[in-house]
Amino acid sequence: MSWVTMFWAAVYTGFALACALTGTSLLSLGGHQGSSVLGWAVAAGGALAATVCAVAARYGLRPILRALLWVMCVLAGMAAFGLLMDMITLMFGQAVDSWASAAHHALAAAGTLLLAATARSDHRPPAAAPLRAHCGASGPVQLAACIGTVAFLPYATMKLVWASGGTFAGVSGKEMRAISERNGASGIWLTLESWGLDATALLAAIGVFLLWGLVRPWGQVFPRWTLFLHGRRVPRWLPLTPALIGAATLAPYGVLGVGYLALATAGVVTIRRGDFHSSGDALLVGWIGLAAFAAYGIALVIAAHSYWLRTTPAHGDVERPPAVS
């Protein structure tokens, strides 16, 4: 695993150096490009990761090397922030704000997984560790899933009101469609809106499905309604990959956003009205959206952690898939 991660680190370093030398920014926020100096910092981090992996491959994974890998894993996870937004924008807008920034997010996300796998490569759970695979999550975890689900209801309702032509927060469905067209929404997005459906509401429904798959037994063994897949084991990476990408994006985005809205509500900062008729309308919509992202993102973190633990067999244990209805 160290050699695979070292190869990723070399690619990551080369990509960052190319961006730094050409003056290409790796940071794009709402169409605003950051300084290209970030490329040099990213290249330095990639070079350090490659060096640590080379030393680990040659001399073994010492405690100091493992600690460095975890630190770099956290930094790579922070650098991957925005990958989910890139995917959604590409899917429905057919473009992203910056291809270099999107590629950086994707490489950083891959690095997060590889660095974590390398840091745990010689880790073995205690022989007495219980194996709780093929069972639902604990009560508190399922409660978190309920909260994450309910938090999306106001958001989905607001979006569907606009998609069906209604008015919310002083903005009509017709105005919202014009805003979507002006922002470069794809034909798929606009077609769904013409049918009274909102793409983000559909994505929220998929997100809720993923959340419950992480906490219910059918997320580990395909249930009967999956037809020819019935009884087969669900590969761990299948739910965990989108869960980790979603959690790494939505949890910090939602939590920081809620903090900003709290300051705006208290009058400490001023919120821009953007496409809305007043700052109050923008604040209302912001609370509905960001509170949903924060609650869902935190629930996804909790559910993904539970799924990881419940599907990690203890050393020497053999899993046997049960019948799941």
Side-chain angles (χ1 to χ4, degrees):
M1 179 57 69
S2 295
W3 294 108
V4 176
T5 308
M6 186 169 63
F7 175 76
W8 162 84
V11 173
Y12 190 54
T13 302
F15 170 77
L17 280 175
C19 290
L21 291 172
T22 58
T24 303
S25 174
L26 294 178
L27 180 63
S28 176
L29 295 174
H32 300 288
Q33 303 298 316
S35 173
S36 60
V37 175
L38 177 62
W40 295 107
V42 172
L48 177 60
T51 302
V52 172
C53 290
V55 174
R58 179 66 177 83
Y59 299 103
L61 195 57
R62 307 295 175 83
I64 183 63
L65 298 178
R66 190 191 304 276
L68 285 172
L69 285 171
W70 281 120
V71 170
M72 289 183 288
C73 178
V74 172
L75 293 175
M78 294 172 62
F81 177 78
L83 177 59
L84 179 62
M85 299 304 180
D86 290 333
M87 296 169 64
I88 294 173
T89 304
L90 184 61
M91 184 184 306
F92 293 107
Q94 300 177 333
V96 292
D97 292 336
S98 167
W99 285 105
S101 178
H104 179 222
H105 294 157
L107 282 171
T112 302
L113 298 176
L114 288 172
L115 289 166
T118 304
R120 292 175 53 88
S121 58
D122 66 347
H123 174 74
R124 293 292 182 273
L131 177 62
R132 297 187 296 166
H134 311 307
C135 64
S138 64
V141 175
Q142 297 205 36
L143 176 61
C146 288
I147 294 173
T149 301
V150 172
F152 260 137
L153 293 180
Y155 176 80
T157 301
M158 175 182 70
K159 288 289 191 172
L160 291 175
V161 166
W162 280 328
S164 61
T167 299
F168 184 86
V171 178
S172 67
K174 184 178 180 179
E175 289 177 293
M176 189 57 66
R177 180 180 176 87
I179 293 170
S180 298
E181 292 177 346
R182 186 172 67 247
N183 292 337
S186 68
I188 297 176
W189 184 292
L190 297 175
T191 298
L192 288 173
E193 286 191 345
S194 68
W195 294 345
L197 298 173
D198 180 83
T200 53
L202 294 177
L203 290 174
I206 295 173
V208 169
F209 177 82
L210 170 64
L211 181 62
W212 284 99
L214 292 168
V215 301
R216 299 300 300 163
W218 54 263
Q220 299 169 51
V221 178
F222 289 106
R224 292 176 182 174
W225 49 264
T226 56
L227 302 179
F228 61 90
L229 292 175
H230 171 229
R232 296 175 181 268
R233 192 184 312 282
V234 176
R236 295 179 74 208
W237 61 265
L238 187 60
L240 281 175
T241 299
L244 293 175
I245 292 174
T249 299
L250 295 179
Y253 178 73
V255 170
L256 293 176
V258 165
Y260 175 78
L261 291 177
L263 294 175
T265 302
V268 177
V269 297
T270 302
I271 187 170
R272 295 182 299 175
R273 64 183 182 88
D275 294 317
F276 298 94
H277 299 300
S278 70
S279 297
D281 292 333
L283 193 60
L284 172 62
V285 173
W287 271 113
I288 292 175
L290 291 173
F293 295 153
Y296 176 81
I298 293 172
L300 199 58
V301 171
I302 296 171
H305 180 257
S306 171
Y307 186 91
W308 180 283
L309 293 179
R310 288 182 291 112
T311 57
T312 300
H315 184 49
D317 284 339
V318 178
E319 297 182 67
R320 296 180 177 81
V324 178
S325 58

